[in-house]
Amino acid sequence: MNLLLLSNSTSDAGYLTHALPWIREWASHHDATGDALFVPFAGVTRTWDAYETLVAEALALLGLRVRSVHRLSDPVAAVQAARHVIVGGGNTFALLGHLRTTGLLEAIGARVRSGKASYLGWSAGANVACPTICTTNDMPIADPGGFGALGLVPVQINAHYTDAHPPGHRGETREQRLREFTTLRPDMPVLGLPEGTGLRVHGSRRAVLGAAGARRFHGPATPQWLAEGPLDHL
Amino acid sequence: MNLLLLSNSTSDAGYLTHALPWIREWASHHDATGDALFVPFAGVTRTWDAYETLVAEALALLGLRVRSVHRLSDPVAAVQAARHVIVGGGNTFALLGHLRTTGLLEAIGARVRSGKASYLGWSAGANVACPTICTTNDMPIADPGGFGALGLVPVQINAHYTDAHPPGHRGETREQRLREFTTLRPDMPVLGLPEGTGLRVHGSRRAVLGAAGARRFHGPATPQWLAEGPLDHL
């Protein structure tokens, strides 16, 4: 499998700009100038047309031609022929619900697992690459019909990972939220990906991308910071 | 119905301390010195025994005798005889899942709707009083078997409401998250309850409690701050 899972899309430099070198390397393993199928389902407050345009313009710099599945008459067939599948961020629950009802959850999982298509996702698009969406930060605005997701990696991702906590706020910190998850699921590791980082998986090689590294939670163990670079295990 | 729905339990003054005058008034409508049934199911990283002790000690100051449902052989029967039902905060998904599988979701809804029991909930316990849990801030660490909840009020509550946003954070603001909800559900109002506030419902009377007021979202309309005091409508 060829996967690039990013914490976030936006930065001061521009939309996806910080990740373009990583996306170029990721795309080079199939056909760097080819077609890429885009899944806009996580978009709720922006239209899917506008989302397609935003991503198409950002990735045209790499020679990728982005088409959104929402304009195709047979999205499942398009996935079954795709070389690059790109799943954008937004609301994870909306995304997973649409993936499930359209049949794309199964189709994308099979195609990417077969090695015939590469997978790029950011934020919600990285969450759905995990076994479940149980470590999303998003609000459950719609019932996705179950929390099981693509399961492309044997680890849960927490995007936009941060230790920051507004002063006076009595809600849970991110670490407290993730400890609730690892209490219920001590068998399942979680990677907290700070802004500007990502997880790269290519065959048996795995790496943390981005200078901020990643925060790993696993059962009752003390969480650890993983530095940018190759990972022996997830 | 006699409901007291609080944003939060903790404050610098102590556990539930800021809310004791409100809880005293709420409890006085049945039997101020009576038994109160406690639902600890939102607790994940603390034990249900410890949670019961914490709440029992805080409410003993008001003469309420708190017993947790998790130690009873027939929790549904206990609800059917209860005068005060208290649902604590923690993880909303864990709470709703346990309420559903134990049959307490239906039992508590029926008992409170009949007017025979009063309902107090904070944080997750306020979320489950709403039509759905679609406006919780919590992480979906466990599948609750559907998002439908008690529906005691015709409005969604967002607990721990805040405008604060850590600098440099690229995740959604709270307002953006709630706008995703009101985009999908333009018919359903949302009350954002800042720390130290609550919603009081007694028969046809409704009021915002707490000096910070409440933030009301409804469809595409500009959100409004509601001041502490009586509410004409939710």
Side-chain angles (χ1 to χ4, degrees):
Chain A
M1 283 192 289
N2 187 32
L3 316 176
L4 177 56
L5 307 176
L6 304 173
S7 178
N8 59 302
S9 55
T10 61
S11 71
D12 291 337
Y15 195 74
L16 289 173
T17 305
H18 73 285
L20 288 179
W22 301 333
I23 298 173
R24 186 193 306 274
E25 185 274 327
W26 164 83
S28 70
H29 292 280
H30 279 297
D31 169 8
T33 57
D35 292 328
L37 209 56
F38 178 62
V39 177
F41 298 153
V44 176
T45 50
R46 62 180 140 209
T47 68
W48 293 347
D49 283 352
Y51 203 177
E52 176 187 37
T53 301
L54 181 70
V55 173
E57 289 179 356
L59 298 186
L61 299 172
L62 302 180
L64 284 168
R65 289 183 299 276
V66 169
R67 271 186 321 162
S68 177
V69 294
H70 80 278
R71 293 196 292 107
L72 305 180
S73 58
D74 191 344
V76 168
V79 165
Q80 287 166 344
R83 288 299 195 177
H84 301 95
V85 174
I86 300 176
V87 182
N91 186 282
T92 307
F93 295 88
L95 170 59
L96 182 59
H98 287 297
L99 284 174
R100 202 182 299 287
T101 54
T102 56
L104 290 189
L105 189 69
E106 201 175 344
I108 291 173
R111 183 74 179 168
V112 174
R113 245 182 279 275
S114 78
K116 290 181 181 154
S118 301
Y119 182 97
L120 164 62
W122 55 86
S123 195
N127 283 320
V128 296
C130 300
T132 69
I133 61 163
C134 289
T135 52
T136 180
N137 306 310
D138 293 339
M139 195 167 271
I141 58 172
D143 191 330
F147 289 177
L150 291 165
L152 302 175
V153 286
V155 65
Q156 289 290 133
I157 286 173
N158 179 249
H160 309 286
Y161 179 75
T162 177
D163 285 333
H165 199 59
H169 188 58
R170 300 286 173 179
E172 289 86 351
T173 64
R174 187 69 59 82
E175 180 163 333
Q176 284 171 324
R177 296 183 189 285
L178 293 174
R179 282 189 173 285
E180 288 183 346
F181 176 77
T182 57
T183 298
L184 290 193
R185 290 292 309 276
D187 57 311
M188 178 61 70
V190 180
L191 280 187
L193 295 179
E195 305 293 345
T197 69
L199 175 65
R200 180 79 178 95
V201 176
H202 188 207
S204 61
R205 294 202 305 272
R206 293 144 168 186
V208 172
L209 304 178
R215 185 91 165 150
R216 186 175 191 275
F217 299 80
H218 196 184
T222 304
Q224 290 184 295
W225 279 107
L226 307 178
E228 182 173 19
L231 274 181
D232 288 339
H233 65 96
L234 290 171
Chain B
M1 282 192 290
N2 187 32
L3 317 176
L4 176 56
L5 308 175
L6 304 172
S7 178
N8 59 301
S9 55
T10 60
S11 72
D12 291 338
Y15 195 74
L16 288 172
T17 306
H18 73 285
L20 288 179
W22 301 333
I23 298 173
R24 186 193 307 273
E25 185 275 327
W26 164 84
S28 69
H29 293 281
H30 279 298
D31 169 8
T33 57
D35 292 328
L37 209 56
F38 178 61
V39 177
F41 297 154
V44 175
T45 50
R46 64 179 140 209
T47 67
W48 292 349
D49 282 352
Y51 203 177
E52 177 188 36
T53 301
L54 181 69
V55 173
E57 289 179 356
L59 298 186
L61 299 172
L62 301 180
L64 284 168
R65 288 183 299 276
V66 170
R67 271 188 320 162
S68 177
V69 294
H70 80 278
R71 293 196 293 107
L72 305 180
S73 58
D74 191 344
V76 168
V79 165
Q80 287 166 345
R83 287 299 194 178
H84 301 96
V85 174
I86 300 176
V87 182
N91 186 282
T92 307
F93 295 88
L95 170 59
L96 182 59
H98 286 298
L99 284 174
R100 202 182 298 286
T101 54
T102 54
L104 291 189
L105 188 70
E106 202 175 344
I108 292 173
R111 182 75 179 166
V112 174
R113 244 182 280 275
S114 78
K116 291 181 180 153
S118 301
Y119 183 97
L120 163 62
W122 54 87
S123 195
N127 283 320
V128 296
C130 300
T132 68
I133 61 163
C134 288
T135 52
T136 179
N137 307 309
D138 293 340
M139 194 166 272
I141 58 171
D143 191 330
F147 289 177
L150 291 166
L152 302 176
V153 286
V155 65
Q156 289 289 132
I157 286 173
N158 179 248
H160 308 288
Y161 179 74
T162 177
D163 285 333
H165 199 59
H169 189 58
R170 301 287 173 179
E172 290 85 351
T173 64
R174 186 70 60 82
E175 179 162 334
Q176 283 172 324
R177 296 183 189 285
L178 293 174
R179 282 190 173 285
E180 289 183 347
F181 176 77
T182 57
T183 298
L184 291 194
R185 289 293 309 276
D187 57 310
M188 178 61 69
V190 181
L191 280 188
L193 295 179
E195 305 293 346
T197 70
L199 176 66
R200 179 79 177 95
V201 176
H202 188 206
S204 62
R205 294 203 305 273
R206 293 144 168 186
V208 172
L209 305 179
R215 184 92 165 148
R216 186 176 191 274
F217 299 80
H218 196 184
T222 304
Q224 291 183 295
W225 279 108
L226 306 179
E228 182 173 18
L231 275 180
D232 288 339
H233 65 96
L234 291 171

